[in-house]
Amino acid sequence: MGLSAAAPLWGPPGLLLTIALHPALSLRPAKASAPPHRDYCVLGAGPAGLQMAYFLQRAGRDYAVFERAPEPGSFFTRYPRHRKLISINKRYTGKVNAEFNLRHDWNSLLSHDPRLLFRHYSRAYFPDAGDMVRYLRDFADRLRLHVLYNTTIAHVTLDKDPRAWNGHYFILTDQKGQAYRCSVLLVATGLSVPNQVDFPGSEYAEGYESVSVDPMDFVGQNVLILGRGNSAFETAENIFDVTNFIHMLSRSRVRLSWATHYVGDLRAINNGLLDTYQLKSLDGLLESDLTNLALVKDREGRFHVTLKYLLEETNQTADAITLPQDDNDNFAMRDAYDRVIRCLGWNFDFSIFNKSLRLSSGGEFSKKYPLVKASYESKGSRGLFVLGTASHSVDYRKSAGGFIHGFRYTVRAVHRLLEHRHHGVPWPSTEHPITQLTSSIVRRVNEASGLYQMFTVLADVVLLKEGATAFEYLEEFPMQMLAQLETITGRSAKHGLFVINMEYGRNFSGPDKDVFFYDRSVGHIEDAWQSNFLHPVIYYYRHLPTEQEVRFRPADWPLPRPTAIHHIVEDFLTDWTAPVGHILPLRRFLENCLDTDLRSFYAESCFLFALTRQKQPPFCQQGYLRMQGLVGNERLRQHGVESGLLRDYAAVGKHRKDSTRQPRDREPTGRPRAPEPPAQAFNHDKEEL
Amino acid sequence: MMSSSFSACRVGFSFVMMNIFYKSVGDSLPELSPQKYFNTLQPGKASLAYFCQANSPSPSIFLEELNEAVKPLQNYGISVAKVNCVKEETSRYCGKEKDLMKAYLFRGNVLLREFPTDTLFDVNAIVAHVLFALLFNEVKYITTLEDLQNMENALKGKADIAFSYVRAVGTPEHRAVMEAAFVYGTTYQFVLTTEIALLESIGAKDIEYAHLYFFHCKVVLDLTQLCRRTLMEQPLTTLNIHQFIKTMEAPLLTEVAEDPQQVSTVHLQLGLPLVFIVSQQATYEADRRTAEWVAWRLLGKAGVLLLMRDSLAVDIPQHTNVIFKREERVPVEFLVLHDIDLIVSHVENNMHIEEIQEGEDEDHDMEDPDIDIQDDEVAETVHRDRKRQLPLELTVELTEETFNATVMASDSIVLFYAGWQAVSMAFLQSYIDVAIKLKDTPTMLLTRVNCADWSGVCTKHNVTEFPVVKMYKEGGNPVSYAGMLGTEDLLKFIQLNRISCPVNITSVQEAEEYLSGELYQDLLSYSSGPVLGLFSPTMTTAKEDFTEAGNYLRGCVITGIYSEEDVLILSNKYAATLPALLLARHKGGKIESIPLANTHAEDIVQIIKNAFLETFPEITVENLPTYLRLQKPLLILFSDGSIIPQYKKAILTLVKEKHLDSLTPCWLNLKNTPVGRGILQAYFDTLPPLPLLVVVNLHSGGQVFAFPSDQAISEQNLLLWLKKLEAGLESHITILPAQEWKPPLPAYDFLSMMEAAASRHSARKGPEYMKETGVQESDEEQHEDKSAIRKELTETLRIKHWNRSNWFKEAEKSSRHDKEL
């Protein structure tokens, strides 16, 4: 590393320049000094790597994916050990909206090809891991993604170069010593190192990665499982009908995903052991810190649980070990175990990355995940992004960023960021007149899958144009990066913005929360802010928040204190299109933020306004006055008259009473009132009295 | 001279007030004998006495009112008494007969005025008349404009004038003015009139109500200059006048350089907002001019201050140029308003809201309008119609699978809509109506895509808002429909698209048939036109431009193109120099020619569009926007039914003589456009008989002028009226309101609900702030005392049953320690 960084300084400048200008023409000797270049290098052809490859390919970028296995998705060829994926493959939703259906499809990657939807690969609600391997293979093949298989990147270093996009290149070296030079490095290697806890006797524990999956091997045994995640329960599920009992030991209490709303916590499909424990069937759960534990093997090859400090106390022989039950004869784990299985999850493989990349900070948490910002860029090296499961530190135990149905969107967000940073392509957006604002938001909260899956991580952003007559709509922006929105997206946020997010109720989720309490669902519009289930929340900011404001936001808030906030009340069907329950309160919120009237009007009303007022409501300005007014038909007119929102002018001459609605009559001082509908049903009667 | 005696009078006032407290009497009307009464009179002090026959039943209503007037008059140091004319003590004030009883006003023992009881009809009249008599010099009563002008001239450079008009003396408004004059009479010259003509002549509107103007004469040094006037917009009550005058006294513009949150002026005390114009050294001069201008506009409505940003310690958002302070202790609003009108309307609208709210407070019967009630007419009507089964089968529903195949296979119209979006659902009804009309005439395939279902299809076709109509024809690029979202216009678009645009005409004879309307007879009812472009075969660029224009106008104008070798036959016949346009405005009518040399497509479009604008159109809901584009005031003849030919003739003559060039003359048939009645109601308080002629200045000022209904609509009368109008001699009947369209109702304030809940919560817990990472925290935990861990460990292992509190602690701490897949 030191050498290669120094090379440009000492080497003949003329030669280097030639190499840089003509890499394609360079001959074999030159090739050795200047490795083949790629703008984008993706490490790992798992779901995240392939997803990124897809976006790079579609954008026509120069990229390569490096995969050590001979095919994509090698993790799934072995894991999960018991072959059942716990990601939902919901093939029927009763809806044809493809975007909406992705809300309930946890396995597909994003692509334009409808054949590449996972429901074509498995009929099972919880599919087999083999189907995932097949799917990923098809994904890479059909889309002709550039993957270099059988290429194990053994070492990654930095090469400082002022001409590089990020001031340095990433030099990747494979198992054959072949080097690759990359402007941007996208690490999608997942978590591949089994997590181990070091305690005396830990060597007696079998790992999840190698333990037998044949239940016959466990018949009539006492089994201790270390860990309390899905892999632990999955293992228990496989054998609990043939063992004497299973004890599960971990530091923390069990976290049920239906209580925490976090898909990484224990899923109901794996929780059969909870049943047997609570119904007194010998199986059981215990809490203790594993680092204080010790395992002792007796002469029969059975394992006894003891504590580290008891081992330290005296120099003991195997026969005379002090066991906790010597003091406390009712010690819970006084029975000997036939097997101990370690199911403690995985860590990121830091080993191939040179220290200069500063991927790890050395802290406890960062042993599992590399350090990244909310934009998924490494905190230590610019131009290095972490994708997929390894990027889960951003929303660990909060959202779905560690899982396919979450990171397929965060990968897209990273790609959009890169498109702007390196190719001047601003974050995609659509621009609309302000009259479309309510509709734009309603459409997204009803169908957007990225918002739904990556709730409180990715959010849509509405950027207002000057004078709030128009707006730009940006989808799925990493909301923690809000302060840097302008640099990341290349869009201007000078005139205020809305952030559209999906949230669970503040105090609803948690391992110890009763999520079935009576009155948990909120139906009244005015109580929308107390909604518990996932529901849309819209933040309004007059100015883009600063980094400081985002960092020091109030506890439990995903964003700094907004100028105003709106909750669309939770909906049992997650269908937020009710005209009065959902759309009307949203419109009122937007109107009050923008200080305007966002109602829609028929052409006739606009005609009346055009001739009786100097200013026109936005809907008339943007529609009727541009000769695109909404005419409506007689039926609708009749409804309007019945509702009191429209007047039957043909009858005006005949019924003089109607004229009491005239603003002028109402106001003896002759001062014009604030604009209002041609007539309002609710105060009409009173005025006649 | 008089004024000095009045300041004495005011001193007396406080003295009297003290007396009132002392004796805690004075509320009731003292009854005295004449002798006693005259003994009570003090020099310089005013007193009102009603003399009545002792034993006769007195006019009780009057006495009640007089009784009520005791207290208010005492506030002004005027005592009130009822004097009983007993036989033994007759006085010359005691009338001979009952009905001649009068009230008398004395100062000291000098009689100032006598009032017949019927002038003192109520408490307001009593107070008004008494003060009017006492303030004879302070309040000048005038009857003519000349009086007013003289007064104005006399006071220029000396004093300001408070000029008021009341309908009659003795009214509550009159009393309010007199009460104000009592306080401010020495500072300002009060002028009063009851002459409505006088009020009218100074250009007031709504003359049926009382008015108060403040004439700023003191600052006028040049005698030829007029005094600036400020109209008090609130109703005339004592309190309002007091406030109004206070604001007139306050400096017009104050310069400050301190935190606007801290600044307070008399305006805030009076319940009026403050407007800070943010300035900096560099732009000081211009800002000051702007601020002064704003200050004049907002005089009496808000205080205006110039805030020097440079020397300010507090931070103001960068682009803010106006700061609005609604009231004390309410956070100021930072605004960016680039127009004086915007500033003014912001203030007016904010004042307005308060006013409405106050009104609602007073009227408890009136409930707040419910914000959960739909006030969007389109949403409500569509919702009310939700149970109706539309004959949707008349149109083809497209899906992701069928879309491309369908629009490639046949010429199709596609409606993109969303099932939950009201506007597109309202239009879907019209669309179905079109389908019903076209049921038996196969033209184009009418299809629809529900974007709520097929959002991918819609996005792919660039449809991200609803509704959108596109025409897919002959496999070419789709054409977006840009007309009115209604049955008629869409039908027209579909019909006209049956032919290509422009149509290729191949012979002179065909061209003649085309121009006469024989060709495409069935289509002419849908369109304006026909238009024919004449080109010699070599004029390729000109032809291309024309073709492009024709394409653009497809669906509203029938265009044709002729460029055969014998084109000269046509160009000679219609005296057109090539390239040229021929257009027939009406079927069989005269054919006009317009030269087209070097005209670009967009200009051709404009030429054709303008050519089809009528000189005196019947204005309808559909065509108004076209005419509004001309940006001229409208001259509208409202007619109940068809227009009377002689009126039409009169106006067309004026058009021909170019007298109406600055206007857009049109007429409105209330039979066809009943909403016209709504317009008339907005213009007139009581609807005068039709026909009616008005000029509406929509684009500048919003004034509406009505042609006098007692005059016949003839050329001469009309011309004369228009001349007067132009010269500014006509006064408008109304000004159209210029408010911005504000939110019709407030929204739920979830932020404050959440914060209220949070503050209740944090009253129990300390404030928490988000920690960026939890790493630090967990590291600390690692250093916990080892023995404590041991203890905890054995304990937890011993406990078979969950210990709730321990369990809770564990769960809290554990967050990062167990790692799972």
Side-chain angles (χ1 to χ4, degrees), chain A residues 68 124 188 240 322 342 348 409 441 463 485 490 500 506-507 517 554 563 565 579 601 638:
Chain A
R68 64 178 162 197
F240 80 128
T322 320
R342 160 177 54 72
F348 180 74
Y409 305 101
I441 295 174
L463 301 176
L485 180 128
I500 296 104
R506 290 273 151 86
N507 288 309
F517 68 93
T563 311
I565 197 167
F601 297 98
Q638 274 310 314

Side-chain angles (χ1 to χ4, degrees), chain B residues 161-224:
Chain B
I161 300 175
F163 167 66
S164 48
Y165 156 81
V166 294
R167 275 170 302 167
V169 289
T171 53
E173 291 82 16
H174 181 212
R175 174 183 168 182
V177 172
M178 296 321 302
E179 288 185 300
F182 190 88
V183 180
Y184 296 103
T186 51
T187 323
Y188 307 107
Q189 178 63 54
F190 277 69
V191 177
L192 181 76
T193 189
T194 50
E195 295 298 320
I196 198 158
L198 174 52
L199 183 66
E200 253 180 307
S201 62
I202 69 163
K205 42 187 172 143
D206 300 321
I207 46 177
E208 57 268 46
Y209 308 112
H211 276 64
L212 191 142
Y213 281 96
F214 194 89
F215 286 31
H216 304 263
C217 291
K218 199 172 179 177
V219 290
V220 179
L221 301 174
D222 176 1
L223 289 183
T224 57

Side-chain angles (χ1 to χ4, degrees), chain A residues 117-154:
Chain A
L117 286 173
F118 201 80
R119 61 187 163 92
H120 303 311
Y121 288 80
S122 171
R123 290 160 169 275
Y125 192 67
F126 292 109
D128 187 86
D131 293 330
M132 177 56 78
V133 177
R134 198 159 51 86
Y135 172 77
L136 293 175
R137 194 191 304 135
D138 268 14
F139 191 86
D141 290 353
R142 279 234 176 111
L143 299 167
R144 299 172 194 285
L145 304 178
H146 308 312
V147 186
L148 301 172
Y149 294 107
N150 301 312
T151 309
T152 309
I153 298 300

Side-chain angles (χ1 to χ4, degrees), chain A residues 207-366:
Chain A
Y208 168 78
E209 61 281 3
S210 56
V211 72
S212 161
V213 293
D214 182 1
M216 286 307 118
D217 294 343
F218 298 86
V219 173
Q221 296 189 348
N222 299 349
V223 178
L224 174 66
I225 296 179
L226 307 177
R228 192 159 291 169
N230 277 302
S231 60
F233 277 92
E234 168 203 321
T235 308
E237 192 84 9
N238 187 43
I239 55 174
F240 80 128
D241 48 350
V242 295
T243 53
N244 299 335
F245 61 76
I246 299 173
H247 286 169
M248 294 186 94
L249 183 66
S250 78
R251 186 188 156 93
S252 66
R253 60 156 296 172
V254 65
R255 299 167 52 94
L256 299 162
S257 64
W258 45 260
T260 59
H261 299 108
Y262 171 66
V263 294
D265 285 331
L266 177 59
R267 302 282 303 284
I269 178 177
N270 280 335
N271 71 7
L273 190 103
L274 292 184
D275 229 29
T276 58
Y277 169 50
Q278 296 289 1
L279 298 175
K280 311 182 293 284
S281 292
L282 296 179
D283 298 326
L285 271 68
L286 292 145
E287 280 74 44
S288 170
D289 191 340
L290 298 181
T291 51
N292 296 311
L293 199 73
L295 280 181
V296 213
K297 195 173 182 180
D298 64 15
R299 267 179 299 189
E300 287 138 50
R302 305 185 86 202
F303 306 107
H304 295 268
V305 172
T306 183
L307 300 172
K308 211 196 277 182
Y309 79 96
L310 292 176
L311 285 185
E312 288 161 2
E313 272 170 6
T314 45
N315 212 355
Q316 300 155 330
T317 60
D319 293 332
I321 292 169
T322 320
L323 293 175
Q325 54 264 43
D326 299 343
D327 282 340
N328 307 296
D329 56 9
N330 64 343
F331 177 60
M333 302 169 83
R334 58 187 182 273
D335 262 357
Y337 296 97
D338 298 297
R339 291 186 107 121
V340 179
I341 307 169
R342 160 177 54 72
C343 304
L344 296 171
W346 273 269
N347 291 337
F348 180 74
D349 183 3
F350 289 93
S351 67
I352 62 168
F353 298 95
N354 186 287
K355 280 264 183 297
S356 61
L357 292 156
R358 292 187 290 166
L359 265 186
S360 168
S361 74
E364 180 63 23
F365 187 53
S366 55

